[in-house]
Coordinates of all heavy atoms in Angstrom, one line a residue:
K1 N 4.5 10.4 -10.7 CA 5.1 11.5 -11.4 C 4.3 11.9 -12.7 O 4.2 13.0 -13.1 CB 6.5 11.1 -11.8 CG 7.2 12.2 -12.6 CD 8.7 11.8 -12.8 CE 9.4 12.9 -13.7 NZ 10.7 12.6 -13.9
Y2 N 3.7 10.9 -13.3 CA 3.0 11.2 -14.6 C 1.5 11.2 -14.4 O 0.8 11.2 -15.4 CB 3.5 10.2 -15.7 CG 4.9 10.3 -15.9 CD1 5.9 9.4 -15.4 CD2 5.4 11.3 -16.7 CE1 7.2 9.6 -15.6 CE2 6.8 11.5 -17.0 CZ 7.7 10.6 -16.4 OH 9.0 10.7 -16.7
G3 N 1.0 11.1 -13.2 CA -0.4 11.2 -13.0 C -1.2 10.0 -13.3 O -2.5 10.1 -13.4
I4 N -0.6 8.8 -13.4 CA -1.4 7.6 -13.7 C -0.8 6.5 -12.8 O 0.4 6.3 -12.8 CB -1.4 7.3 -15.2 CG1 -2.4 6.1 -15.4 CG2 -0.1 7.0 -15.7 CD1 -2.7 5.9 -16.9
K5 N -1.6 5.7 -12.2 CA -1.2 4.6 -11.3 C -1.5 3.3 -12.2 O -2.5 3.2 -12.9 CB -2.0 4.5 -10.1 CG -1.6 5.7 -9.2 CD -2.3 5.6 -7.8 CE -1.9 6.7 -7.0 NZ -2.5 6.6 -5.7
Y6 N -0.5 2.4 -12.0 CA -0.6 1.1 -12.7 C -1.7 0.2 -12.0 O -1.8 0.1 -10.9 CB 0.7 0.3 -12.7 CG 0.7 -1.0 -13.3 CD1 0.7 -1.1 -14.7 CD2 0.5 -2.2 -12.6 CE1 0.7 -2.3 -15.3 CE2 0.5 -3.4 -13.2 CZ 0.5 -3.5 -14.6 OH 0.4 -4.7 -15.2
D7 N -2.6 -0.2 -12.9 CA -3.7 -1.1 -12.5 C -3.8 -2.2 -13.5 O -4.4 -2.0 -14.6 CB -5.0 -0.3 -12.3 CG -6.1 -1.2 -11.7 OD1 -6.0 -2.4 -11.8 OD2 -7.0 -0.6 -11.2
K8 N -3.4 -3.4 -13.2 CA -3.4 -4.5 -14.1 C -4.8 -4.8 -14.6 O -5.0 -5.2 -15.8 CB -2.9 -5.8 -13.4 CG -2.6 -7.0 -14.3 CD -2.0 -8.1 -13.6 CE -1.9 -9.4 -14.5 NZ -1.2 -10.4 -13.8
K9 N -5.8 -4.6 -13.8 CA -7.2 -4.9 -14.2 C -7.7 -3.9 -15.4 O -8.6 -4.3 -16.1 CB -8.1 -4.8 -13.1 CG -8.0 -5.9 -12.0 CD -8.9 -5.6 -10.9 CE -8.1 -5.4 -9.6 NZ -8.8 -4.9 -8.5
L10 N -7.1 -2.8 -15.5 CA -7.5 -1.8 -16.5 C -6.7 -1.9 -17.8 O -6.9 -1.1 -18.8 CB -7.4 -0.4 -16.0 CG -8.3 -0.1 -14.8 CD1 -8.0 1.3 -14.3 CD2 -9.8 -0.2 -15.3
L11 N -5.8 -2.9 -18.0 CA -4.9 -2.8 -19.1 C -5.7 -3.1 -20.4 O -5.2 -2.6 -21.5 CB -3.8 -4.0 -19.0 CG -2.7 -3.7 -18.0 CD1 -1.8 -4.9 -17.9 CD2 -2.0 -2.4 -18.4
Y12 N -6.8 -3.7 -20.4 CA -7.6 -3.9 -21.6 C -8.6 -2.8 -21.9 O -9.3 -2.8 -22.9 CB -8.3 -5.2 -21.6 CG -7.3 -6.4 -21.7 CD1 -6.9 -7.1 -20.5 CD2 -6.8 -6.7 -22.9 CE1 -6.0 -8.1 -20.6 CE2 -5.8 -7.8 -23.0 CZ -5.4 -8.5 -21.9 OH -4.6 -9.5 -22.0
N13 N -8.6 -1.8 -21.0 CA -9.4 -0.6 -21.2 C -8.6 0.4 -22.2 O -7.5 0.8 -21.8 CB -9.6 0.1 -19.9 CG -10.4 1.4 -20.0 OD1 -10.0 2.3 -20.6 ND2 -11.6 1.5 -19.4
P14 N -9.1 0.6 -23.3 CA -8.3 1.4 -24.3 C -7.9 2.8 -23.8 O -6.7 3.2 -24.0 CB -9.3 1.6 -25.5 CG -10.2 0.5 -25.4 CD -10.4 0.2 -23.9
D15 N -8.8 3.5 -23.1 CA -8.4 4.9 -22.6 C -7.3 4.7 -21.6 O -6.3 5.5 -21.6 CB -9.6 5.6 -22.0 CG -10.6 5.9 -23.0 OD1 -10.3 6.2 -24.1 OD2 -11.8 6.1 -22.6
Y16 N -7.4 3.8 -20.7 CA -6.3 3.6 -19.7 C -5.0 3.1 -20.3 O -3.9 3.7 -20.0 CB -6.8 2.6 -18.6 CG -5.7 2.2 -17.6 CD1 -5.4 3.1 -16.6 CD2 -5.0 1.1 -17.8 CE1 -4.4 2.8 -15.7 CE2 -3.9 0.8 -16.8 CZ -3.7 1.6 -15.9 OH -2.7 1.4 -14.9
N17 N -5.1 2.3 -21.3 CA -3.9 1.7 -21.9 C -3.2 2.8 -22.6 O -1.9 2.9 -22.6 CB -4.3 0.6 -22.9 CG -3.1 -0.2 -23.3 OD1 -2.3 0.3 -24.1 ND2 -3.1 -1.4 -22.9
I18 N -3.9 3.7 -23.4 CA -3.3 4.8 -24.0 C -2.6 5.8 -23.1 O -1.5 6.2 -23.2 CB -4.3 5.6 -24.9 CG1 -4.7 4.7 -26.1 CG2 -3.7 6.9 -25.4 CD1 -5.9 5.2 -26.9
K19 N -3.2 6.1 -22.0 CA -2.7 6.9 -21.0 C -1.4 6.3 -20.4 O -0.4 7.0 -20.1 CB -3.7 7.3 -19.9 CG -4.8 8.2 -20.3 CD -5.8 8.4 -19.2 CE -7.0 9.2 -19.7 NZ -8.0 9.3 -18.7
L20 N -1.4 5.0 -20.1 CA -0.3 4.4 -19.5 C 0.8 4.3 -20.5 O 2.0 4.6 -20.1 CB -0.7 2.9 -19.1 CG 0.3 2.1 -18.3 CD1 0.6 2.8 -17.0 CD2 -0.2 0.8 -18.1
G21 N 0.6 4.0 -21.7 CA 1.6 4.0 -22.8 C 2.2 5.3 -23.0 O 3.4 5.4 -23.2
T22 N 1.4 6.4 -22.9 CA 1.9 7.7 -23.1 C 2.8 8.1 -22.0 O 3.8 8.7 -22.2 CB 0.7 8.7 -23.2 OG1 -0.1 8.3 -24.4 CG2 1.2 10.1 -23.4
A23 N 2.4 7.8 -20.8 CA 3.2 8.0 -19.6 C 4.6 7.3 -19.6 O 5.6 7.9 -19.3 CB 2.5 7.7 -18.3
Y24 N 4.5 6.0 -20.0 CA 5.8 5.3 -20.2 C 6.6 5.9 -21.3 O 7.9 6.1 -21.1 CB 5.5 3.9 -20.5 CG 6.7 3.0 -20.8 CD1 7.6 2.8 -19.7 CD2 7.0 2.5 -22.0 CE1 8.8 2.1 -19.9 CE2 8.1 1.7 -22.2 CZ 9.0 1.6 -21.2 OH 10.2 0.9 -21.4
Y25 N 6.1 6.4 -22.4 CA 6.8 7.0 -23.4 C 7.5 8.3 -22.9 O 8.7 8.6 -23.2 CB 6.0 7.3 -24.6 CG 6.8 8.0 -25.7 CD1 7.7 7.3 -26.5 CD2 6.7 9.3 -25.9 CE1 8.5 7.9 -27.4 CE2 7.5 10.0 -26.9 CZ 8.4 9.2 -27.6 OH 9.1 9.8 -28.6
R26 N 6.8 9.1 -22.2 CA 7.4 10.3 -21.6 C 8.5 10.0 -20.7 O 9.6 10.7 -20.7 CB 6.3 11.1 -20.8 CG 5.4 11.9 -21.7 CD 4.6 12.9 -21.0 NE 3.9 12.4 -19.8 CZ 2.6 12.1 -19.7 NH1 1.8 12.3 -20.8 NH2 2.1 11.6 -18.6
Y27 N 8.4 8.9 -19.9 CA 9.4 8.5 -18.9 C 10.7 8.1 -19.7 O 11.8 8.5 -19.4 CB 8.9 7.3 -18.2 CG 9.9 6.6 -17.4 CD1 10.5 7.2 -16.2 CD2 10.3 5.3 -17.7 CE1 11.5 6.4 -15.5 CE2 11.2 4.6 -17.0 CZ 11.8 5.2 -15.9 OH 12.8 4.5 -15.2
I28 N 10.5 7.3 -20.8 CA 11.7 6.8 -21.5 C 12.3 7.9 -22.3 O 13.5 7.9 -22.6 CB 11.5 5.5 -22.3 CG1 10.4 5.6 -23.3 CG2 11.3 4.3 -21.4 CD1 10.3 4.5 -24.3
K29 N 11.5 8.8 -22.8 CA 12.0 10.0 -23.6 C 12.9 10.8 -22.7 O 14.0 11.2 -23.1 CB 10.8 10.8 -24.1 CG 11.4 11.9 -25.0 CD 10.2 12.6 -25.7 CE 10.7 13.8 -26.5 NZ 9.6 14.5 -27.1
E30 N 12.5 11.0 -21.4 CA 13.4 11.7 -20.5 C 14.7 11.0 -20.2 O 15.8 11.6 -20.2 CB 12.6 12.0 -19.2 CG 11.6 13.0 -19.2 CD 10.8 13.2 -17.9 OE1 11.2 12.6 -16.9 OE2 9.8 13.9 -18.0
M31 N 14.6 9.7 -20.2 CA 15.8 8.9 -19.9 C 16.8 9.0 -21.1 O 18.0 8.8 -20.9 CB 15.4 7.4 -19.7 CG 14.7 7.1 -18.5 SD 14.1 5.4 -18.3 CE 15.7 4.6 -18.3
H32 N 16.3 9.3 -22.3 CA 17.1 9.4 -23.5 C 17.2 10.8 -23.9 O 17.4 11.1 -25.1 CB 16.5 8.5 -24.6 CG 16.7 7.0 -24.2 ND1 17.9 6.3 -24.3 CD2 15.8 6.1 -23.7 CE1 17.7 5.1 -23.9 NE2 16.4 5.0 -23.5
H33 N 17.3 11.7 -22.9 CA 17.5 13.1 -23.2 C 16.6 13.7 -24.2 O 17.1 14.5 -25.1 CB 19.0 13.3 -23.5 CG 20.0 12.6 -22.6 ND1 20.1 13.1 -21.3 CD2 20.7 11.5 -22.6 CE1 20.9 12.3 -20.6 NE2 21.3 11.3 -21.4
N34 N 15.4 13.4 -24.2 CA 14.3 13.9 -25.1 C 14.6 13.6 -26.6 O 14.1 14.3 -27.5 CB 14.1 15.4 -24.8 CG 13.5 15.6 -23.5 OD1 12.5 14.9 -23.1 ND2 14.0 16.6 -22.7
K35 N 15.4 12.6 -26.9 CA 15.6 12.3 -28.3 C 14.5 11.3 -28.7 O 14.5 10.1 -28.2 CB 17.0 11.6 -28.5 CG 18.1 12.7 -28.1 CD 19.5 12.1 -28.5 CE 20.6 13.0 -28.2 NZ 20.5 14.4 -28.7
D36 N 13.6 11.7 -29.5 CA 12.5 10.9 -29.9 C 12.9 9.6 -30.5 O 12.3 8.5 -30.3 CB 11.6 11.7 -30.9 CG 10.7 12.7 -30.2 OD1 10.1 12.3 -29.2 OD2 10.7 13.8 -30.7
V37 N 13.9 9.6 -31.4 CA 14.3 8.4 -32.1 C 14.7 7.3 -31.1 O 14.4 6.1 -31.2 CB 15.4 8.6 -33.1 CG1 15.9 7.4 -33.7 CG2 14.9 9.6 -34.2
L38 N 15.5 7.7 -30.1 CA 16.0 6.7 -29.1 C 14.8 6.3 -28.2 O 14.7 5.2 -27.8 CB 17.1 7.3 -28.3 CG 18.4 7.6 -29.0 CD1 19.4 8.2 -28.0 CD2 18.9 6.4 -29.6
A39 N 13.9 7.2 -27.9 CA 12.8 6.9 -27.1 C 11.9 5.9 -27.7 O 11.4 4.9 -27.1 CB 12.0 8.1 -26.7
I40 N 11.6 6.1 -29.0 CA 10.8 5.1 -29.8 C 11.5 3.7 -29.8 O 10.9 2.7 -29.7 CB 10.5 5.7 -31.2 CG1 9.6 6.9 -31.1 CG2 9.9 4.6 -32.1 CD1 9.5 7.7 -32.4
A41 N 12.8 3.8 -30.1 CA 13.5 2.5 -30.1 C 13.4 1.8 -28.8 O 13.2 0.6 -28.7 CB 15.0 2.7 -30.5
A42 N 13.6 2.5 -27.7 CA 13.5 2.0 -26.3 C 12.1 1.5 -26.0 O 11.9 0.5 -25.4 CB 13.9 3.0 -25.3
Y43 N 11.1 2.2 -26.5 CA 9.7 1.8 -26.2 C 9.5 0.4 -26.9 O 8.8 -0.4 -26.3 CB 8.7 2.8 -26.9 CG 7.3 2.6 -26.5 CD1 6.7 3.2 -25.4 CD2 6.5 1.8 -27.3 CE1 5.4 3.0 -25.1 CE2 5.1 1.6 -27.0 CZ 4.6 2.2 -26.0 OH 3.3 2.0 -25.6
N44 N 10.0 0.2 -28.1 CA 9.8 -1.0 -28.8 C 10.8 -2.1 -28.5 O 10.4 -3.3 -28.5 CB 9.8 -0.7 -30.3 CG 8.6 0.0 -30.8 OD1 7.5 -0.4 -30.5 ND2 8.8 1.2 -31.4
S45 N 12.0 -1.8 -28.2 CA 13.0 -2.8 -28.1 C 13.4 -2.9 -26.6 O 14.1 -3.9 -26.2 CB 14.3 -2.4 -28.8 OG 14.0 -2.3 -30.2
G46 N 13.1 -2.0 -25.8 CA 13.5 -2.0 -24.4 C 14.6 -1.0 -24.1 O 15.5 -0.9 -24.9
H47 N 14.5 -0.5 -22.9 CA 15.5 0.5 -22.6 C 16.9 0.0 -22.5 O 17.9 0.6 -23.0 CB 15.2 1.1 -21.2 CG 16.2 1.9 -20.5 ND1 16.6 3.2 -21.1 CD2 17.1 1.7 -19.5 CE1 17.6 3.7 -20.3 NE2 17.9 2.8 -19.4
N48 N 17.1 -1.2 -22.0 CA 18.4 -1.8 -21.8 C 19.1 -2.1 -23.2 O 20.3 -1.9 -23.4 CB 18.4 -3.1 -21.0 CG 18.1 -2.9 -19.6 OD1 18.4 -1.8 -19.0 ND2 17.5 -3.9 -18.9
A49 N 18.3 -2.5 -24.2 CA 18.8 -2.7 -25.5 C 19.4 -1.4 -26.1 O 20.5 -1.4 -26.6 CB 17.7 -3.3 -26.5
V50 N 18.6 -0.4 -25.9 CA 19.1 0.9 -26.5 C 20.3 1.4 -25.7 O 21.3 1.9 -26.3 CB 17.9 2.0 -26.4 CG1 18.5 3.4 -26.8 CG2 16.8 1.6 -27.4
E51 N 20.4 1.2 -24.4 CA 21.5 1.6 -23.6 C 22.8 0.9 -24.1 O 23.9 1.4 -24.3 CB 21.3 1.4 -22.2 CG 20.4 2.4 -21.5 CD 21.0 3.8 -21.5 OE1 22.2 4.0 -21.1 OE2 20.3 4.7 -22.0
N52 N 22.6 -0.5 -24.4 CA 23.7 -1.2 -24.9 C 24.1 -0.8 -26.2 O 25.3 -0.7 -26.6 CB 23.3 -2.7 -24.9 CG 23.2 -3.3 -23.6 OD1 23.8 -2.9 -22.6 ND2 22.4 -4.4 -23.5
W53 N 23.2 -0.4 -27.1 CA 23.5 0.1 -28.5 C 24.3 1.4 -28.4 O 25.3 1.6 -29.1 CB 22.3 0.2 -29.3 CG 21.6 -1.1 -29.6 CD1 22.1 -2.3 -29.6 CD2 20.2 -1.2 -29.9 NE1 21.1 -3.2 -29.9 CE2 20.0 -2.6 -30.1 CE3 19.2 -0.3 -30.0 CZ2 18.7 -3.1 -30.4 CZ3 17.9 -0.8 -30.3 CH2 17.7 -2.1 -30.5
V54 N 23.8 2.3 -27.5 CA 24.6 3.6 -27.3 C 26.0 3.3 -26.9 O 26.9 4.0 -27.4 CB 23.8 4.5 -26.3 CG1 24.6 5.7 -25.8 CG2 22.5 4.9 -27.0
K55 N 26.2 2.4 -25.9 CA 27.5 2.1 -25.5 C 28.4 1.6 -26.6 O 29.6 1.9 -26.7 CB 27.5 1.1 -24.3 CG 27.0 1.7 -23.0 CD 26.9 0.6 -22.0 CE 26.1 1.2 -20.7 NZ 25.9 0.2 -19.7
E56 N 27.8 0.7 -27.4 CA 28.6 0.1 -28.4 C 28.9 1.0 -29.6 O 30.0 1.0 -30.2 CB 27.8 -1.2 -29.0 CG 28.6 -2.0 -30.0 CD 27.9 -3.3 -30.4 OE1 27.0 -3.7 -29.6 OE2 28.3 -3.9 -31.4
Y57 N 27.9 1.8 -30.1 CA 28.0 2.6 -31.3 C 28.2 4.1 -31.0 O 28.5 4.9 -31.9 CB 26.8 2.4 -32.1 CG 26.6 1.0 -32.6 CD1 25.6 0.2 -32.1 CD2 27.5 0.4 -33.5 CE1 25.4 -1.1 -32.4 CE2 27.3 -1.0 -33.8 CZ 26.3 -1.7 -33.3 OH 26.2 -3.0 -33.7
G58 N 27.8 4.6 -29.8 CA 27.7 6.0 -29.6 C 26.4 6.6 -30.0 O 25.7 6.1 -30.9
T59 N 26.0 7.6 -29.3 CA 24.6 8.1 -29.5 C 24.4 8.6 -31.0 O 23.4 8.3 -31.6 CB 24.3 9.3 -28.6 OG1 24.4 8.8 -27.2 CG2 22.9 9.9 -28.8
E60 N 25.3 9.5 -31.4 CA 25.1 10.0 -32.8 C 25.2 9.0 -33.8 O 24.4 9.0 -34.8 CB 26.2 11.2 -33.0 CG 25.9 12.4 -32.2 CD 24.5 12.9 -32.2 OE1 24.0 13.0 -33.4 OE2 24.0 13.2 -31.2
N61 N 26.1 8.1 -33.8 CA 26.2 6.9 -34.7 C 24.9 6.1 -34.7 O 24.4 5.7 -35.8 CB 27.4 6.0 -34.5 CG 28.7 6.7 -34.8 OD1 28.7 7.7 -35.7 ND2 29.8 6.3 -34.3
L62 N 24.4 5.8 -33.5 CA 23.2 5.1 -33.4 C 22.0 5.8 -34.0 O 21.2 5.2 -34.8 CB 22.9 4.7 -32.0 CG 21.7 3.9 -31.7 CD1 21.7 2.6 -32.5 CD2 21.5 3.6 -30.2
L63 N 21.9 7.1 -33.7 CA 20.8 7.9 -34.3 C 20.9 7.9 -35.8 O 19.8 7.8 -36.5 CB 20.9 9.3 -33.8 CG 20.4 9.6 -32.3 CD1 20.9 11.0 -31.8 CD2 19.0 9.3 -32.2
N64 N 22.0 8.1 -36.3 CA 22.2 8.1 -37.8 C 21.8 6.7 -38.4 O 21.1 6.7 -39.4 CB 23.6 8.5 -38.2 CG 23.9 10.0 -37.9 OD1 23.0 10.8 -38.0 ND2 25.2 10.2 -37.7
E65 N 22.2 5.7 -37.7 CA 21.9 4.3 -38.2 C 20.4 4.1 -38.2 O 19.8 3.6 -39.2 CB 22.6 3.3 -37.4 CG 22.5 1.9 -37.8 CD 23.1 1.6 -39.2 OE1 24.1 2.3 -39.6 OE2 22.6 0.7 -39.9
I66 N 19.8 4.5 -37.1 CA 18.3 4.3 -37.0 C 17.6 5.1 -38.1 O 16.7 4.7 -38.8 CB 17.8 4.6 -35.6 CG1 18.3 3.6 -34.6 CG2 16.3 4.7 -35.6 CD1 18.1 4.0 -33.2
K67 N 18.0 6.4 -38.2 CA 17.3 7.3 -39.1 C 17.5 6.9 -40.6 O 16.6 7.1 -41.4 CB 17.8 8.7 -39.0 CG 17.3 9.3 -37.7 CD 18.0 10.7 -37.5 CE 17.6 11.4 -36.2 NZ 18.2 12.7 -36.0
N68 N 18.6 6.3 -40.9 CA 18.9 5.9 -42.3 C 18.4 4.5 -42.7 O 18.6 4.2 -43.8 CB 20.4 6.0 -42.5 CG 20.9 7.4 -42.5 OD1 20.2 8.3 -42.9 ND2 22.1 7.6 -42.0
N69 N 17.8 3.8 -41.8 CA 17.3 2.5 -42.1 C 15.8 2.4 -42.0 O 15.0 3.1 -41.7 CB 17.8 1.4 -41.3 CG 19.3 1.1 -41.7 OD1 19.5 0.9 -42.8 ND2 20.2 1.1 -40.7

């Protein structure tokens, strides 16, 4: 979907690593309704962690908490 195939042998290649990371970021951003703050949190903490936080606090409360800290 994002035009890059996973290749474990290329992970230490900077160009490939950046492309793969960018593709993953686009994927999780779509999963979080294009909300950059949630996408960045998911990129760093994991998608499941952010999903649990959204369930516990609600999307808007979580966004405000992240932005204010």
Side-chain angles (χ1 to χ4, degrees):
K1 178 177 179 176
Y2 298 100
I4 187 166
K5 293 183 180 184
Y6 179 78
D7 187 338
K8 186 177 180 177
K9 291 179 241 169
L10 293 176
L11 289 177
Y12 291 100
N13 176 300
D15 291 332
Y16 175 79
N17 194 291
I18 290 169
K19 288 177 185 174
L20 187 64
T22 301
Y24 177 64
Y25 179 76
R26 284 195 307 259
Y27 168 72
I28 59 173
K29 186 174 176 182
E30 287 177 10
M31 291 176 65
H32 292 284
H33 310 287
N34 292 315
K35 296 188 183 305
D36 283 310
V37 173
L38 294 182
I40 292 167
Y43 187 92
N44 288 306
S45 300
H47 169 70
N48 289 335
V50 173
E51 285 296 308
N52 290 335
W53 298 335
V54 167
K55 287 176 189 172
E56 186 172 344
Y57 301 108
T59 301
E60 292 308 314
N61 288 337
L62 180 59
L63 285 170
N64 288 332
E65 184 66 26
I66 292 170
K67 288 177 184 178
N68 291 325
N69 284 310

